[in-house]
Amino acid sequence: MITVGLLGCGNIGHVIAKSQENFKITAVYDVVFERAEAFGREFGASPYSDFSEFLKEPTDIVVEAASVAAATSHAESILLAGKDLVIMSVGALADISFREELIQTAREMKKKIHIPSGAIMGLDNIRVGQISSIDKFVLRTTKNPKSLSREAEEKTCIFTGKAYDCVHQYPKNTNVAESLSIACGRDVDVELWMDPNEDRNMHEIFFEGEFGEAYIRVRNVPSPDNPATSYLAALSILSLLKNLDNPLVIGA
Ligand SMILES: NC(=O)C1=CN([C@@H]2O[C@H](COP(=O)(O)OP(=O)(O)OC[C@H]3O[C@@H](n4cnc5c(N)ncnc54)[C@H](O)[C@@H]3O)[C@@H](O)[C@H]2O)C=CC1
Ligand SMILES: O=C([O-])CC(=O)C(=O)O
């Protein structure tokens, strides 16, 4: 049984806690301690208000499902505590020197940093961008204004530019852009749209290069408790944890 420490007892944390099969969440931490306490009562995990005490719990892996700020503050100490790490708030890795330091720490500690596929499909083969030339890479994300905590009467483009800048302006909505950038090894182009007639979180990927061309479109059901987050994102952590100790490795 894999033991999991959970950083962030929100929407994603609750979805994964309801499907514990080959893993058990034994320790939880949240900046709002009452959330960790309530979560601990519901799912039988120990709640912590002190992050260093949370790290002393003998867990195999910590799942960060909190915020870019949480991932930035705590990722290094999680690895130094000898635990593998799943990062959901991938926007934290947009800072290249921070990302390289983390990778170096993971290497020294012989630990892994996992970036789940999150709210998209196809992240595995997008890694061909690291070994083969890419001519075009655009992510077009379209969400209902409610998912962006905004209002709009008509379909409106609110950002065009590089993933790095988008992640800084919309950290709760564009972790996908950073996951794609890391996977394919370049700062991808991003368009962010809000559309009052769209009830899904839609991500379209336009990808062209030496390999040929690909178009991937996912129309995700938003999480009822946090419409900015697609339900698929929580499922992707579950499939990652389910396959962690599987000798058969599927995907690139
Ligand atoms: N990589 C991807 O494809 C995706 C990433 N995400 C990201 O996953 C993260 C979690 O998403 P949800 O569960 O929907 O969010 P949520 O807002 O429902 O829950 C986050 C929880 O973390 C806690 N938290 C926030 N900052 C914290 C900190 N500094 N220290 C400790 N606890 C903290 C909050 O109090 C809350 O209980 C978000 O950063 C979101 O942007 C979401 C969807 C897709
Ligand atoms: O990328 C993100 O941060 C979240 C997102 O768009 C989604 O869940 O669809």
Side-chain angles (χ1 to χ4, degrees):
M1 183 65 73
I2 298 163
T3 51
V4 174
L6 177 67
L7 164 54
C9 301
N11 159 55
I12 288 180
H14 279 80
V15 175
I16 63 171
K18 286 174 187 153
S19 298
Q20 300 179 62
E21 282 179 26
N22 65 326
F23 68 92
K24 171 88 185 103
I25 300 173
T26 54
V28 291
Y29 175 84
D30 196 292
V31 72
V32 182
F33 181 59
E34 293 71 27
R35 288 188 189 155
E37 277 187 314
F39 192 102
R41 272 195 302 277
E42 188 175 353
F43 298 107
S46 307
Y48 287 90
S49 57
D50 179 329
F51 194 75
S52 52
E53 292 299 317
F54 165 76
L55 287 182
K56 286 183 190 157
E57 182 91 15
T59 47
D60 300 313
I61 189 163
V62 170
V63 173
E64 176 280 316
S67 61
V68 165
T72 306
S73 306
H74 299 305
E76 177 96 10
S77 53
I78 292 167
L79 295 167
L80 287 171
K83 296 163 195 303
D84 289 323
L85 170 62
V86 178
I87 293 195
M88 225 30 212
S89 306
V90 192
L93 303 180
D95 178 335
I96 294 172
S97 57
F98 175 68
R99 190 200 312 160
E100 283 175 354
E101 275 170 34
L102 275 192
I103 293 169
Q104 183 56 26
T105 303
R107 195 171 275 128
E108 285 165 14
M109 297 299 297
K110 300 189 171 29
K111 293 292 143 195
K112 294 269 188 205
I113 305 164
H114 298 271
I115 299 180
S117 294
I120 42 167
M121 303 273 179
L123 197 59
D124 53 355
N125 245 351
I126 280 165
R127 288 188 289 177
V128 299
Q130 296 176 18
I131 54 159
S132 176
S133 67
I134 299 301
D135 306 318
K136 172 181 171 182
F137 199 124
V138 179
L139 166 70
R140 182 187 296 151
T141 294
T142 308
K143 294 187 177 184
N144 188 281
K146 276 190 289 195
S147 292
L148 292 149
S149 308
R150 293 179 59 159
E151 288 181 8
E153 303 274 298
E154 57 188 33
K155 189 171 174 181
T156 315
C157 182
I158 56 171
F159 180 89
T160 51
K162 291 290 180 188
Y164 180 88
D165 298 314
C166 193
V167 161
H168 285 90
Q169 285 183 45
Y170 300 96
K172 293 184 179 172
N173 282 282
T174 52
N175 292 288
V176 159
E178 189 52 34
S179 304
L180 290 169
S181 294
I182 295 171
C184 87
R186 62 192 260 164
D187 196 10
V188 305
D189 293 308
V190 180
E191 293 174 20
L192 182 56
W193 292 78
M194 50 184 185
D195 182 353
N197 297 314
E198 179 58 74
D199 61 354
R200 300 279 169 98
N201 290 338
M202 180 162 73
H203 299 287
E204 293 171 280
I205 298 164
F206 305 83
F207 186 30
E208 282 177 32
E210 190 187 23
F211 76 95
E213 58 189 72
Y215 169 63
I216 302 170
R217 185 181 80 166
V218 269
R219 290 189 67 241
N220 291 323
V221 175
S223 304
D225 293 336
N226 181 1
T229 289
S230 299
Y231 179 53
L232 178 66
L235 294 181
S236 86
I237 304 185
L238 281 174
S239 69
L240 186 152
L241 292 172
K242 187 176 169 57
N243 283 284
L244 212 51
D245 52 6
N246 189 344
L248 180 64
V249 179
I250 301 171

